Amino acid sequence: MASLLEDLVARRPDPESHREVYEQLCRKLEVFGRIDREYTTSWRRRRSPEPLADQAWPLLVEALLLGAEKRDESNPGFRLKCLNAACKALDRVSTDALEAPARSALESRVNYLLDCEGP
Amino acid sequence: MKPLDLTVLVHEGPQARAYLVGLRRQGLRPRRIVLLVRERHRGTGKVWARGWPQWLRRPLLERLQDSAENYWPRTFLRQHSSEVAQVCTALDPVVGRTREFVEEMYSGFRYRDYGASFERVICDGWRDERLHEVMRESGPVLFTGGGIVPREFLELPGVTVLHVHPGNLPHVRGADGLLWSTLVRGRPGFSCFRMEPGIDTGPILCAEDYPPLQIPIVASSDQSDRLYQLLFSFVDPLLRAHFFTTRIAPGGVGEEREAQLQSEDDGVTFHFLHPRLRNVALARIFTGADSEAETLPTAPVVAGSFERPVA
């Protein structure tokens, strides 16, 4: 999982082309409240699942924000779904996993996207 | 009153009451009302009054669930009546005489007055055989609760379960539908479908967008939990009831009614909103200023012709 997230963040592919990955990340996070270190190829849990390492959670937030920042008005639902999941993932990032300036940078991006959605 | 071949499966709360008041307003009387009387406390998971005689236990359980499930609407009516009045005024262009509607839901309301027959079933959830026994061969059944209904209930012989989802299917599926619809499509939407084991995936009888909601109450972030409860005490139940009783029930709800199949690949399945995004949605609804609502389209949108998002 960590390598998948690193790849998403480094290569910044069009999130729409990785829709299935984003859908699964949102689902695992929002329905089950957890992300595992590894899944099977069909996104099922491994027999002895281990939670995603604390250090990988900022990458998850970053990846979800890439989905949230895509300005595609033909599918605002996907963008907002990613933003919702990013907010929830950011709540889970421990203070040990992310230094204050880096956390503040992620917070700023979330705030900016929320402001864009303002009434 | 015109008879309607429908069983209303009542999960106590504002939604079931709103459906029944709405049906009465349309001059429709459902064939049967079945009130679910939950024996387990939803919060603690404890079974109430186990071993008590039935004649004593049933009224107690009924009273307890009434207090729990109608806590928020009653609290608003008692302590924040001016806010309820503002909600009613905002919904008037759609619902009509909304204040009277709400009063009927909470002043001397009795389920038995709204159906040709009325019965209660004490049960411990959807998998309870006591419930299955009562519901088999019931024909069309209107589901009035929330959450996921297990396959074994949906596949009871001779039963078709109907649900009104607060989102225009297939575009907006999942939880917090009214708020997600407001965020994604700028207005609420409603769909009636025959329930299947997937989430909001069954064949659609009718789907329609409603005018944007604009309620003249200020949406301050420290009040968001209360506004959320206000929305789900009155706005969501009344609009769903309006949709069902004006768009669906008058045309009949049986198997003969045409329905549009959905593809799971269409639309987006949403999850519960994070409080920060929820505040954005609430601020779009609770505008804090007077505004005129659009008038509703007079003709219902038939299944299969619902609006697609702008490409």
Side-chain angles (χ1 to χ4, degrees), chain B residues 168-171 185 190-191 204-209 243 257-262 297 299-309:
Chain B
N168 191 326
L169 291 173
H171 312 301
R185 297 173 69 83
F190 297 90
S191 310
I204 301 167
L205 276 64
C206 179
E208 187 175 327
D209 282 323
F243 176 75
R257 182 154 180 163
E258 194 186 335
Q260 176 79 28
L261 294 178
Q262 297 188 62
V301 178
V302 294
S305 68
F306 41 75
E307 182 189 335
R308 299 258 165 203

Side-chain angles (χ1 to χ4, degrees), chain A residues 15-33:
Chain A
E16 276 288 349
S17 66
H18 285 63
R19 180 84 183 258
E20 172 66 10
V21 173
Y22 277 94
E23 290 287 349
Q24 290 293 347
L25 289 174
C26 292
R27 184 162 179 269
K28 302 290 181 197
L29 178 65
E30 304 217 39
V31 177
F32 303 107

Side-chain angles (χ1 to χ4, degrees), chain B residues 221-301:
Chain B
S221 57
D222 60 329
Q223 298 288 316
S224 68
D225 286 346
R226 207 166 56 78
L227 293 180
Y228 188 72
Q229 295 298 346
L230 183 63
L231 208 58
F232 291 99
S233 293
F234 301 107
V235 180
D236 186 73
L238 265 66
L239 291 179
R240 280 203 231 196
H242 178 268
F243 176 75
F244 183 78
T245 58
T246 62
R247 300 333 195 213
I248 306 294
V253 292
E255 285 293 332
E256 70 287 353
R257 182 154 180 163
E258 194 186 335
Q260 176 79 28
L261 294 178
Q262 297 188 62
S263 161
E264 284 199 46
D265 297 334
D266 292 338
V268 179
T269 299
F270 294 99
H271 306 288
F272 284 108
L273 280 158
H274 185 277
R276 297 175 75 182
L277 204 49
R278 190 179 78 180
N279 286 347
V280 173
L282 288 172
R284 288 194 187 175
I285 293 171
F286 294 100
T287 53
D290 283 322
S291 53
E292 280 185 25
E294 291 175 32
T295 51
L296 265 185
T298 49
V301 178

Side-chain angles (χ1 to χ4, degrees), chain B residues 136-148:
Chain B
R136 278 190 198 99
E137 306 298 339
S138 289
V141 171
L142 178 62
F143 171 68
T144 63
I148 294 172

Side-chain angles (χ1 to χ4, degrees), chain B:
Chain B
M1 297 278 270
K2 192 176 159 194
L4 178 66
D5 183 20
L6 176 73
T7 297
V8 179
L9 181 57
V10 173
H11 182 285
E12 179 60 272
Q15 185 61 74
R17 292 173 180 227
Y19 281 133
L20 292 170
V21 172
L23 286 171
R24 191 199 56 73
R25 276 192 168 196
Q26 292 294 318
L28 296 168
R29 191 174 184 79
R31 184 169 61 81
R32 188 176 177 220
I33 295 173
V34 176
L35 172 65
L36 288 170
V37 182
R38 303 269 184 166
E39 65 181 359
R40 195 177 290 274
H41 187 277
R42 284 214 295 171
T44 63
K46 211 172 103 178
V47 174
W48 287 101
R50 196 198 294 269
W52 286 32
Q54 183 85 337
W55 64 268
L56 194 58
R57 188 176 188 233
R58 205 247 321 131
L60 172 72
L61 294 176
E62 218 175 304
R63 179 70 68 91
L64 288 169
Q65 83 171 7
D66 180 7
S67 302
E69 303 296 341
N70 293 304
Y71 170 81
W72 280 106
R74 289 208 175 99
T75 300
F76 280 115
L77 286 165
R78 208 171 40 238
Q79 296 177 11
H80 305 282
S81 58
S82 64
E83 287 184 349
V84 177
Q86 284 171 302
V87 167
C88 289
T89 304
L91 294 184
D92 261 344
V94 176
V95 177
R97 294 183 291 124
T98 314
R99 184 75 212 187
E100 288 167 42
F101 196 114
V102 168
E103 276 169 12
E104 187 173 336
M105 285 166 63
Y106 283 100
S107 300
F109 180 94
R110 295 188 314 173
Y111 282 109
R112 71 165 66 92
D113 297 338
Y114 290 84
S117 78
F118 170 64
E119 58 200 287
R120 304 165 169 100
V121 54
I122 295 179
C123 67
D124 185 15
W126 297 109
R127 293 190 163 88
D128 194 319
E129 180 53 33
R130 290 170 290 180
L131 173 63
H132 295 183
E133 196 180 315
V134 169
M135 296 308 295
R136 278 190 198 99
E137 306 298 339
S138 289
V141 171
L142 178 62
F143 171 68
T144 63
I148 294 172
V149 181
R151 177 186 289 268
E152 61 199 89
F153 183 83
L154 298 175
E155 293 179 348
L156 284 175
V159 172
T160 307
V161 185
L162 301 170
H163 178 48
V164 175
H165 166 70
N168 191 326
L169 291 173
H171 312 301
V172 178
R173 289 200 181 97
D176 274 344
L178 184 65
L179 294 172
W180 276 113
S181 293
T182 301
L183 283 172
V184 174
R185 297 173 69 83
R187 51 182 58 212
F190 297 90
S191 310
C192 182
F193 64 98
R194 295 191 182 115
M195 289 180 90
E196 288 184 350
I199 296 174
D200 303 331
T201 53
I204 301 167
L205 276 64
C206 179
E208 187 175 327
D209 282 323
Y210 266 42
L213 280 169
Q214 292 182 317
I215 300 171
I217 296 173
V218 178
S220 59
S221 57
D222 60 329
Q223 298 288 316
S224 68
D225 286 346
R226 207 166 56 78
L227 293 180
Y228 188 72
Q229 295 298 346
L230 183 63
L231 208 58
F232 291 99
S233 293
F234 301 107
V235 180
D236 186 73
L238 265 66
L239 291 179
R240 280 203 231 196
H242 178 268
F243 176 75
F244 183 78
T245 58
T246 62
R247 300 333 195 213
I248 306 294
V253 292
E255 285 293 332
E256 70 287 353
R257 182 154 180 163
E258 194 186 335
Q260 176 79 28
L261 294 178
Q262 297 188 62
S263 161
E264 284 199 46
D265 297 334
D266 292 338
V268 179
T269 299
F270 294 99
H271 306 288
F272 284 108
L273 280 158
H274 185 277
R276 297 175 75 182
L277 204 49
R278 190 179 78 180
N279 286 347
V280 173
L282 288 172
R284 288 194 187 175
I285 293 171
F286 294 100
T287 53
D290 283 322
S291 53
E292 280 185 25
E294 291 175 32
T295 51
L296 265 185
T298 49
V301 178
V302 294
S305 68
F306 41 75
E307 182 189 335
R308 299 258 165 203
V310 180

Side-chain angles (χ1 to χ4, degrees), chain A residues 49-93:
Chain A
E50 288 180 49
L52 184 68
D54 282 355
Q55 285 69 25
W57 277 84
L59 280 174
L60 175 64
V61 178
E62 177 77 35
L64 290 168
L65 283 176
L66 292 176
E69 285 167 347
K70 181 174 165 55
R71 305 304 298 184
D72 175 4
E73 289 315 315
S74 69
N75 194 355
F78 174 68
R79 173 167 59 78
L80 289 167
K81 181 172 173 167
C82 289
L83 178 57
N84 196 51
C87 290
K88 291 183 182 178
L90 187 56
D91 288 348
R92 298 274 297 272
V93 174

